[in-house]
Amino acid sequence: TFDDFGGWLWTLDFGDIGREYDALREGAGMWDVYALNKWHVTGPDAQAALQRGFTNNLATQQVGQVRYGAFVDDSGLLLDEGTIYRREDGSYFAFTNTDTFDAFVRGHSPDANVTLVNRLHEMPLVSVQGPRSREILQSLSDFDFAALGYFRFAEPVTVAGIDVFLSRTGFSGEL
């Protein structure tokens, strides 16, 4: 079953919700999450601009680490939620649900020296989760998936002959 999500066909279920749940909790599931907005954030004020309105602490974030949190307005009202990735080159990725994240950051930090580029169409996203996900992905790569910590990422990683941006984040409570 699909539904419209901002002009994208978004999977709601695969027909049998019980079997879908069992597959994810006992095996693995794969989900096309292409429509998630992926922002490349650069500039000397990138961290400070991202921190304004984000509820998790970016000051202690390490390179290669992912922080999950809420994006809130000045009164604390939840506007979106997402993940922020600290990259080795000093830039960040911010993955959000809404396509107005640049306006959100500019509204909180209007004078910041920061550039935000939505890389939605350059970074398709496939989520593979479940207790067998590591085993399945490991069969397609020389990368040591067991070494990647929770809420960490690596780039580039070759999977099935394709260089990918790989993160170990997930909503299922499984790998």
Side-chain angles (χ1 to χ4, degrees):
T1 305
F2 296 93
D3 195 12
D4 181 271
F5 181 79
W8 296 85
L9 279 179
W10 198 258
T11 307
L12 296 179
D13 66 70
F14 294 93
D16 184 334
I17 293 173
R19 288 186 63 206
E20 180 182 338
Y21 175 84
D22 289 343
L24 186 60
R25 299 303 285 182
E26 297 170 8
M30 185 169 75
W31 184 30
D32 176 358
V33 200
Y34 196 115
L36 191 67
N37 288 277
K38 285 120 352 220
W39 298 89
H40 188 200
V41 185
T42 59
D45 298 333
Q47 180 183 330
L50 288 170
Q51 186 65 75
R52 298 251 325 134
F54 186 62
T55 59
N56 204 332
N57 185 2
L58 299 178
T60 59
Q61 184 181 26
Q62 300 170 356
V63 169
Q65 189 174 30
V66 185
R67 290 281 165 91
Y68 172 78
F71 299 103
V72 298
D73 67 12
D74 289 336
S75 64
L77 179 68
L78 174 71
L79 301 176
D80 198 358
E81 51 85 35
T83 47
I84 296 181
Y85 303 72
R86 183 174 177 189
R87 302 178 71 214
E88 189 171 348
D89 66 1
S91 71
Y92 293 81
F93 281 136
F95 289 11
T96 68
N97 295 297
T98 60
D99 62 0
T100 57
F101 186 67
D102 53 344
F104 170 82
V105 171
R106 291 275 173 227
H108 278 82
S109 301
D111 298 322
N113 184 355
V114 62
T115 302
L116 292 98
V117 177
N118 191 340
R119 298 197 51 207
L120 169 72
H121 296 291
E122 299 167 38
M123 294 178 72
L125 179 58
V126 175
S127 177
V128 181
Q129 297 185 39
R132 292 199 54 226
S133 61
R134 183 185 293 158
E135 170 192 344
I136 292 167
L137 290 170
Q138 190 64 71
S139 73
L140 301 169
S141 179
D142 292 332
F143 180 78
D144 182 4
F145 287 83
L148 188 62
Y150 196 44
F151 273 77
R152 297 287 178 161
F153 69 93
E155 61 178 326
V157 172
T158 302
V159 178
I162 300 169
D163 285 343
V164 302
F165 174 86
L166 178 79
S167 71
R168 185 174 172 209
T169 54
F171 60 86
S172 67
E174 290 291 350
L175 286 171

